[in-house]
Amino acid sequence: MVQSQVKLALEEDLGSGDRTAALIPAEARSRVRVICRESAVICGVAWFEEVFRQLDSSVVIDWHCRDGESIGADSLVCELSGNTRALLSGERTALNYLQTLSGTATLARQYADAVSGTGVRILDTRKTVPGLRLQQKYAVTCGGCHNHRIGLFDAVLIKENHIEAAGSVTAALQAAQALAADVEIEVEVESLDELDEALAAGAQRILLDNFSLERLRQAVARVGGQARLEASGGVTLETIRGIAETGVDDISVGALTKDVRAIDLSMRFFDE
């Protein structure tokens, strides 16, 4: 999987060849360092390595940290030695992976820390960068959060439009139970009345969409452990602790993979 993902990324960047790297003698060799300019949780080692493996398998990478590790500003991430053209051609693609996935992992760690001690799981969503679904889902786990469904194929999540099309919460749930009994089924509700209907229809996992803190507490009391409850909608680092303390089991956060800011990394050549 990593191999095919990197192959596409390199094809996108290199096209018919790196015209600028061709200015360097083919036999030239160099050493470079990757420095992280800010505090971060590192993620993306496998993709970074694969970039240079595909360009020149003789490139040697010496890592000073690994996926999931927290590092401080101005930390040395890794050192590379090998063919200069390969190092130059792979620089941007390799850093794109490392800084984007580290950005996802770093944000995930902030959210995980925000609910520490509550027992609540923080879940990602399908709001990922196109083409980076599996990579970002992995980065979320490196940051200490958890994956929701990977895509539309591995679980059923009945949302507002599905309910509208099916006719009711009960009708949608009954259809899901008949057609997809072998996968997890979750239903989204927007009111306490819909919550009651979902419980009566046998829902085992319920998403509470944009509930206030008071309504979340009421929902937790009504369910009484009969189903797993997930809070969602407008969650931020400032509000997530209060949501967790209402007693819900899970909180899904689209921002984990949607509002990602790449970590500031730089690759610099140095002399022996």
Side-chain angles (χ1 to χ4, degrees):
M1 182 69 73
V2 173
Q3 184 178 14
S4 61
Q5 292 165 344
V6 168
K7 182 175 183 293
L8 288 173
L10 284 173
E11 288 174 351
E12 177 181 64
D13 200 31
L14 292 177
S16 60
D18 185 345
R19 294 178 181 272
T20 313
L23 302 175
I24 309 301
E27 69 279 4
R29 296 181 64 81
S30 300
R31 291 177 61 84
V32 298
R33 292 188 176 107
V34 176
I35 305 296
C36 185
R37 301 299 184 188
E38 59 184 302
S39 298
V41 175
I42 291 298
C43 181
V45 166
W47 290 270
F48 186 98
E49 290 181 339
E50 183 62 24
V51 168
F52 294 103
R53 185 177 296 115
Q54 292 190 24
L55 291 172
D56 185 341
S57 60
S58 68
V59 170
V60 175
I61 306 175
D62 179 22
W63 289 97
H64 291 252
C65 54
R66 303 301 295 184
D67 283 352
E69 184 175 338
S70 296
I71 62 174
D74 298 320
S75 293
L76 176 61
V77 176
C78 64
E79 295 177 295
L80 301 89
S81 60
N83 181 270
T84 304
R85 286 186 178 182
L87 294 174
L88 289 168
S89 294
E91 175 184 0
R92 178 42 49 205
T93 299
L95 287 180
N96 280 349
Y97 273 120
L98 197 63
Q99 65 189 156
T100 301
L101 298 184
S102 294
T104 299
T106 300
L107 185 59
R109 181 67 55 81
Q110 292 172 4
Y111 273 93
D113 288 347
V115 300
S116 177
T118 66
V120 171
R121 296 189 310 168
I122 305 301
L123 308 176
D124 57 22
T125 71
R126 287 169 46 244
K127 296 175 182 177
T128 53
V129 177
L132 290 180
R133 172 68 56 81
L134 295 179
Q135 296 97 313
Q136 284 193 287
K137 290 278 188 177
Y138 168 70
V140 164
T141 65
C142 286
C145 295
H146 301 266
N147 296 150
H148 208 296
R149 57 181 178 162
I150 300 301
L152 296 173
F153 58 89
D154 59 332
V156 173
L157 176 51
I158 303 167
K159 297 178 72 68
E160 176 187 7
N161 286 337
H162 301 106
I163 293 169
E164 182 69 25
S168 68
V169 169
T170 300
L173 266 171
Q174 289 177 342
Q177 291 159 353
L179 295 173
D182 58 330
V183 299
E184 188 169 54
I185 299 170
E186 183 174 14
V187 60
E188 176 186 273
V189 301
E190 297 182 324
S191 68
L192 293 173
D193 287 341
E194 285 189 344
L195 172 64
D196 291 339
E197 183 181 355
L199 283 173
Q204 296 299 301
R205 187 169 177 181
I206 301 172
L207 189 154
L208 307 170
D209 182 43
N210 282 299
F211 275 42
S212 66
L213 292 181
E214 180 56 32
R215 283 209 299 162
L216 287 173
R217 285 188 284 266
Q218 292 174 8
V220 170
R222 287 197 189 199
V223 170
Q226 299 176 67
R228 190 170 188 91
L229 292 179
E230 173 187 335
S232 182
V235 180
T236 68
L237 280 170
E238 291 69 37
T239 64
I240 197 166
R241 183 79 189 190
I243 295 171
E245 291 173 347
T246 65
V248 296
D249 303 291
D250 304 313
I251 304 172
S252 53
V253 183
L256 291 181
T257 53
K258 180 174 66 71
D259 300 336
V260 176
R261 182 185 65 80
I263 295 301
D264 187 3
L265 301 173
S266 64
M267 183 182 287
R268 292 289 182 266
F269 282 67
F270 70 97
D271 296 327
E272 296 288 353

